[in-house]
Amino acid sequence: MTEQKHEDLETVIEELEKKCAEHPESVMAHHHLGLVYMKAGRIEDAIASLEKAIEVDPLNGDSMINLGAIHFGQGDLEKALKLNEEAVRVQPESAQAYANLGLIWQQQSELEKAIENYEKALQYDPKLVTAWLNLTSVLTMKGEDDRAVKAAKKGLEIDPDSALGHNNLAVALYFKQEFAEAYKHMQRAKELGYSVDPNFSAKLQEHVS
């Protein structure tokens, strides 16, 4: 089945490459080709296609966001930051760009900037689960346990089966010393396949034994 999917992907790539050759000014063709290259693991080709989409349309925030995601994955936070900042400039209401900026600042331990951007993302898309869950993590790092719990619960309202959401809520509740409730969410995170930190699991187990 995997091989068949790979063959289908290559067919789509061939069709999009042909479309890009025939219509070199088609932003969407270059953008979609970049996304398919990403799925196929052809990262350098994906970068080239997304860069071409931006070259054709310098206001194409979606390509900037996806290109930023590639550079983030490669550990180039500077390029990822610049691309998402530019995406926000051209698409001021882009929740995903703000959420990405939050994650970039979080990776650099700039917690206030991370919070500011996550909250901005949620202003434009209150149902963006990843923003709620990442906001939970940052608030926990800052020791703002009440806000962290609220953020985690918001995320779980949207996606009740988020393994990361249950883990993050467990951690936030632990620091509020609500151990029984924390244990319940930790167990649920495990059931959903999350690899809970064994040290955290052991400490929480001690409090509920």
Side-chain angles (χ1 to χ4, degrees), residues 10 13 46 51 64 68 112 122-123 130 178-179 183 203:
E10 288 303 316
I13 287 173
E51 287 179 342
M64 294 171 192
E112 287 297 340
L122 292 165
Q123 176 185 328
T130 54
E178 296 181 18
F179 301 122
Y183 185 79
K203 286 180 182 178

Side-chain angles (χ1 to χ4, degrees), residues 65 68-69 72 80-81 84-85 87-88 91-107 110 113-135 138:
I65 289 169
F72 181 87
L81 180 65
N84 281 282
E85 286 179 337
V88 163
Q91 293 182 355
E93 297 184 3
S94 173
Q96 189 59 59
Y98 280 113
N100 291 350
L101 286 169
L103 186 58
I104 293 165
W105 288 121
Q106 182 178 345
Q107 288 292 310
E110 294 279 1
K113 289 181 179 179
I115 290 171
E116 179 184 344
N117 280 281
Y118 286 139
E119 289 180 338
K120 196 77 171 178
L122 292 165
Q123 176 185 328
Y124 292 118
D125 184 2
K127 293 186 178 182
L128 190 57
V129 176
T130 54
W132 283 117
L133 302 186
N134 288 333
L135 177 60
V138 177

Side-chain angles (χ1 to χ4, degrees), residues 139-153:
L139 291 170
T140 299
M141 290 178 201
K142 288 195 76 224
E144 297 190 32
D145 303 321
D146 288 333
R147 289 180 66 194
V149 167
K150 287 179 182 177
K153 287 181 176 179

Side-chain angles (χ1 to χ4, degrees), residues 2 4 7-8 45 56 58 94 100 106 122 134 142 153 155 159 162 176 182 184 203 205:
T2 302
Q4 181 63 44
E7 290 175 359
D8 291 344
D45 288 330
V56 175
S94 173
N100 291 350
Q106 182 178 345
L122 292 165
N134 288 333
K142 288 195 76 224
K153 287 181 176 179
D159 183 5
S162 168
K176 286 194 68 181
K184 182 180 77 173
K203 286 180 182 178
Q205 184 72 52

Side-chain angles (χ1 to χ4, degrees), residues 21-196:
E22 294 173 348
H23 306 282
E25 298 307 307
S26 173
V27 177
M28 294 311 296
H30 291 295
H31 177 78
H32 287 147
L33 179 57
L35 298 185
V36 179
Y37 277 144
M38 286 173 69
K39 288 181 182 178
R42 294 171 58 175
I43 302 304
E44 293 306 316
D45 288 330
I47 290 172
S49 289
L50 292 169
E51 287 179 342
K52 181 62 178 178
I54 296 167
E55 178 187 326
V56 175
D57 180 9
L59 301 180
N60 180 11
D62 290 341
S63 291
M64 294 171 192
I65 289 169
N66 283 285
L67 185 55
I70 292 176
H71 288 303
F72 181 87
Q74 294 180 326
D76 193 336
L77 299 186
E78 185 177 350
K79 282 186 179 178
L81 180 65
K82 288 180 179 178
L83 282 158
N84 281 282
E85 286 179 337
E86 183 63 12
V88 163
R89 188 186 70 79
V90 300
Q91 293 182 355
E93 297 184 3
S94 173
Q96 189 59 59
Y98 280 113
N100 291 350
L101 286 169
L103 186 58
I104 293 165
W105 288 121
Q106 182 178 345
Q107 288 292 310
Q108 299 181 82
S109 299
E110 294 279 1
L111 302 187
E112 287 297 340
K113 289 181 179 179
I115 290 171
E116 179 184 344
N117 280 281
Y118 286 139
E119 289 180 338
K120 196 77 171 178
L122 292 165
Q123 176 185 328
Y124 292 118
D125 184 2
K127 293 186 178 182
L128 190 57
V129 176
T130 54
W132 283 117
L133 302 186
N134 288 333
L135 177 60
T136 302
S137 296
V138 177
L139 291 170
T140 299
M141 290 178 201
K142 288 195 76 224
E144 297 190 32
D145 303 321
D146 288 333
R147 289 180 66 194
V149 167
K150 287 179 182 177
K153 287 181 176 179
K154 281 282 190 181
L156 286 172
E157 283 177 13
I158 301 163
D159 183 5
D161 292 329
S162 168
L164 177 60
H166 284 285
N167 178 77
N168 288 3
L169 179 54
V171 173
L173 288 165
Y174 176 88
F175 286 112
K176 286 194 68 181
Q177 299 187 5
E178 296 181 18
F179 301 122
E181 191 70 9
Y183 185 79
K184 182 180 77 173
H185 286 285
M186 181 191 72
Q187 289 299 100
R188 182 58 180 149
K190 288 181 178 180
E191 290 170 6
L192 291 166
Y194 190 84
S195 298
V196 174

